[in-house]
Amino acid sequence: MLNVREMMACPNCGVSMRAMVFPALFAQKGEIDREDHILAENEAGCFYHPGKKAIVPCAECGRFLCALCDVELGGKHVCPTCIDSGKKKGKLKTLENHRTLYDDIALSLSIMPLLFFWVTLITAPVSLFFSIRYWKAPSSIIPRTKIKFIFAFILSSLQIMGWTLFFMNIIPELI
Amino acid sequence: MAARAKEYIKLPGRGLKRGSIISIVGIRARLWRGKDHILSVLNFGYFEEYKRFYYKDIQAFTIRKTAVSVIWSFIFIILALFWGAIAMTLELYVSPLVWFISVIFLICLIINIIRGKSCVTSIHTAVGREELPSLGRLKKAVKVISLLEPFIEEVQGKLSSEEIRHLSQEISHEILPAPQPRSGEKPSGYRGKFHKFLFLILLIDAFLGLVSFFQNNMFVSFLSLIFFFAISVLAILSLIKQHNSALGKGVRRVTWITMAYIVVMYFASYIYNVIFIAMENPEAMNNQWKQIEIMSARSPFDDPYYMALLVTGIVSSLLLSASGLALLRSSAGEIPALSEPPPLQYEDIV
């Protein structure tokens, strides 16, 4: 019943289902040779484990790595230290599992408060701040345009202009 | 920008993560195809969460059919009929707005039907199983998997049909959900007697509803009340009896939907009684008999809410009884009769 095109009843529970399996299901994990010591004088050793034979240099820092320290990430061989620092600094995109959508925040701050008009006195400058401050900040990993930032910028600017005109008319009357 | 756009390609299908229906923004899920992995994106409104499934790590995809689409269709039919029935009895200047609400539910129903059957799609890797909420419809799930298949096979290679046949027997217990333990009990020999009564009484209830359209009196109202009470009792008994029985899944589901319908109708009737009967006639607040009297004096053609309740009740009862009886009939042949234990022999006793 595996890898068939039509739905079939599960032999266990009778639920209609379909399963597509791939060779990875049957693959055995390759054993890392943890006892691969330096055999000859002229062989390079691992930066982190000097007693072990280096097999590859780190693609980020160039340090020699043994089989134990070598981590394959997005086609590159990286050392654990670079992974750690890359994750902290957001350099390694393949390790990122979370991103804040500042453009959505900016747009919401410029649209939602319109329902309670007076709130825009505070939210419009905040939205404008978000639009400018995070213009270059990394947005979503998936393709995304700056259109939300542009709309947020225009809307919040208009709101600020509106408030400026309002106060310009009100203040002379009060004085 | 062009180089960035090529990094991920959007895959068909979108959905909400299970359990997020009551959240304010909702957790929207989508899948994107990368160079060497699938990216699952969960959008929480103001931030996104990512999960990567590398082609080399993907062990399997499983699709399990569910009844979610059927339930939604049922809900949309009920809501469309409810608002349609109210619109029919309202004044001309108000009814277009109510018709509009009914049409919205009708559009929802059509969209739900077009989207096709619902399912749960999961991706299996060495570290576990992950549900893909964006592939909640069978058509989309099959399409996406067939889109991804060549990319995975390019990395992992292809399993021959001989290998699949040979290995599927060995691993089926690992990848497929384990059989649900039924507390060690043997399936009961219950063949759906209570279910049959339940669906037949539902049919009579629908008939009574039709009668009250034209001939609403004390006797019909009282009889409807008794029948509704009988339906409630029978539904509970059927749910108890169907546990650990060999009844088909369809019959079980219809019984659960009937129970949900009963609860909804109880609430709707209670609200109607409190708002439209007891408030207009405070003396009937704590007098059930008086309430039946008032109900029997009302005509559905004069009261849009009573009309809506009646139409919803008739349609739901008819749908449930017809589908329940049909499913019961089709599954009757599949239920194995309980084999009688062999009679004790003299040798066994001695």
Side-chain angles (χ1 to χ4, degrees), chain A residues 85-160:
Chain A
S85 65
K87 197 179 174 186
K88 275 178 193 162
K89 290 173 189 168
K91 269 178 157 182
L92 291 167
K93 213 169 135 185
T94 45
L95 285 178
E96 273 188 273
N97 58 4
H98 179 277
R99 273 200 188 175
T100 307
L101 307 171
Y102 294 107
D103 53 349
D104 275 342
I105 297 173
L107 192 64
S108 295
L109 280 169
S110 63
I111 290 177
M112 283 185 182
L114 286 172
L115 292 167
F116 320 95
F117 184 69
W118 292 99
V119 190
T120 57
L121 189 62
I122 301 158
T123 54
V126 178
S127 171
L128 198 66
F129 167 78
F130 267 93
S131 308
I132 298 163
R133 168 70 181 80
Y134 296 106
W135 181 265
K136 283 187 177 175
S139 185
S140 174
I141 282 180
I142 53 178
R144 200 174 170 97
T145 61
K146 298 269 185 197
I147 194 78
K148 286 183 182 176
F149 267 138
I150 295 166
F151 270 120
F153 184 86
I154 294 168
L155 273 170
S156 50
S157 302
L158 285 171
Q159 285 166 21
I160 290 167

Side-chain angles (χ1 to χ4, degrees), chain B residues 21-265:
Chain B
I21 197 91
I22 53 162
S23 68
I24 299 164
V25 282
I27 307 164
R28 287 167 286 151
R30 281 221 79 142
L31 281 183
W32 294 75
R33 182 172 63 77
K35 204 177 117 193
D36 57 353
H37 64 273
I38 305 163
L39 183 75
S40 165
V41 181
L42 292 177
N43 187 311
F44 288 78
Y46 298 116
F47 66 90
E48 285 180 339
E49 255 181 31
Y50 309 110
K51 272 179 189 161
R52 292 171 184 81
F53 303 101
Y54 287 88
Y55 296 145
K56 65 180 168 66
D57 299 328
I58 296 168
Q59 294 184 335
F61 283 108
T62 51
I63 305 171
R64 180 168 52 84
K65 219 157 101 176
T66 61
V68 174
S69 59
V70 180
I71 293 165
W72 275 116
S73 291
F74 188 77
I75 291 168
F76 289 138
I77 290 171
I78 299 279
L79 288 170
L81 283 169
F82 179 81
W83 289 106
I86 289 179
M88 273 201 290
T89 50
L90 282 174
E91 300 282 333
L92 196 67
Y93 64 92
V94 195
S95 62
L97 185 76
V98 185
W99 272 120
F100 178 69
I101 300 169
S102 179
V103 169
I104 286 174
F105 287 117
L106 217 60
I107 292 166
C108 290
L109 174 71
I110 294 163
I111 292 168
N112 188 44
I113 292 166
I114 291 169
R115 289 183 74 199
K117 291 168 189 168
S118 56
C119 66
V120 173
T121 310
S122 307
I123 188 166
H124 299 252
T125 60
V127 290
R129 184 178 69 92
E130 193 74 39
E131 260 181 38
L132 303 172
S134 63
L135 306 181
R137 295 292 170 145
L138 202 60
K139 270 196 277 185
K140 285 272 156 64
V142 171
K143 192 179 173 184
V144 168
I145 291 172
S146 54
L147 271 171
L148 292 168
E149 233 180 295
F151 294 95
I152 299 166
E153 282 174 355
E154 197 185 314
V155 178
Q156 294 189 22
K158 203 174 177 178
L159 284 171
S160 70
S161 53
E162 195 62 37
E163 273 178 313
I164 294 162
R165 206 176 309 132
H166 178 71
L167 293 165
S168 63
Q169 288 175 346
E170 288 177 28
I171 54 96
S172 62
H173 288 97
E174 282 174 37
I175 189 165
L176 295 173
Q180 294 299 309
R182 296 263 180 198
S183 59
E185 295 169 27
K186 281 182 184 173
S188 67
Y190 176 68
R191 296 178 72 85
K193 199 167 78 182
F194 284 94
H195 287 74
K196 201 171 178 178
F197 275 121
L198 170 70
F199 299 133
L200 281 172
I201 289 182
L202 267 169
L203 202 65
I204 299 168
D205 185 58
F207 174 73
L208 274 174
L210 278 171
V211 169
S212 55
F213 251 106
F214 309 103
Q215 189 64 45
N216 199 13
N217 56 39
M218 194 72 176
F219 177 69
V220 175
S221 294
F222 189 65
L223 212 60
S224 299
L225 203 71
I226 288 177
F227 269 92
F228 198 67
F229 180 71
I231 290 166
S232 314
V233 173
L234 276 169
I236 295 166
L237 284 172
S238 304
L239 287 174
I240 295 166
K241 280 282 180 184
Q242 75 180 20
H243 175 73
N244 212 24
S245 75
L247 275 183
K249 270 204 168 246
V251 184
R252 286 160 183 266
R253 274 187 199 137
V254 173
T255 317
W256 275 110
I257 296 169
T258 307
M259 195 66 223
Y261 155 72
I262 291 164
V263 173
V264 169
M265 284 309 272

Side-chain angles (χ1 to χ4, degrees), chain B residues 271-291:
Chain B
I271 291 164
Y272 177 77
N273 277 358
V274 168
I275 295 173
F276 297 101
I277 295 185
M279 280 177 87
E280 285 173 18
N281 308 276
E283 75 277 9
M285 194 75 172
N286 297 313
N287 191 339
Q288 193 72 38
W289 190 254
K290 188 87 184 161
Q291 283 179 21

Side-chain angles (χ1 to χ4, degrees), chain A residues 43-105:
Chain A
E43 276 185 323
C46 171
F47 178 83
Y48 301 99
H49 305 99
K52 287 188 178 178
K53 191 169 106 181
I55 54 158
V56 70
C58 172
E60 291 291 316
C61 63
R63 287 166 179 160
F64 286 168
L65 309 171
C66 65
L68 194 66
C69 301
D70 170 35
V71 180
E72 204 188 323
L73 204 68
K76 288 198 288 187
H77 294 269
V78 199
C79 70
T81 315
C82 286
I83 288 177
D84 194 41
S85 65
K87 197 179 174 186
K88 275 178 193 162
K89 290 173 189 168
K91 269 178 157 182
L92 291 167
K93 213 169 135 185
T94 45
L95 285 178
E96 273 188 273
N97 58 4
H98 179 277
R99 273 200 188 175
T100 307
L101 307 171
Y102 294 107
D103 53 349
D104 275 342
I105 297 173

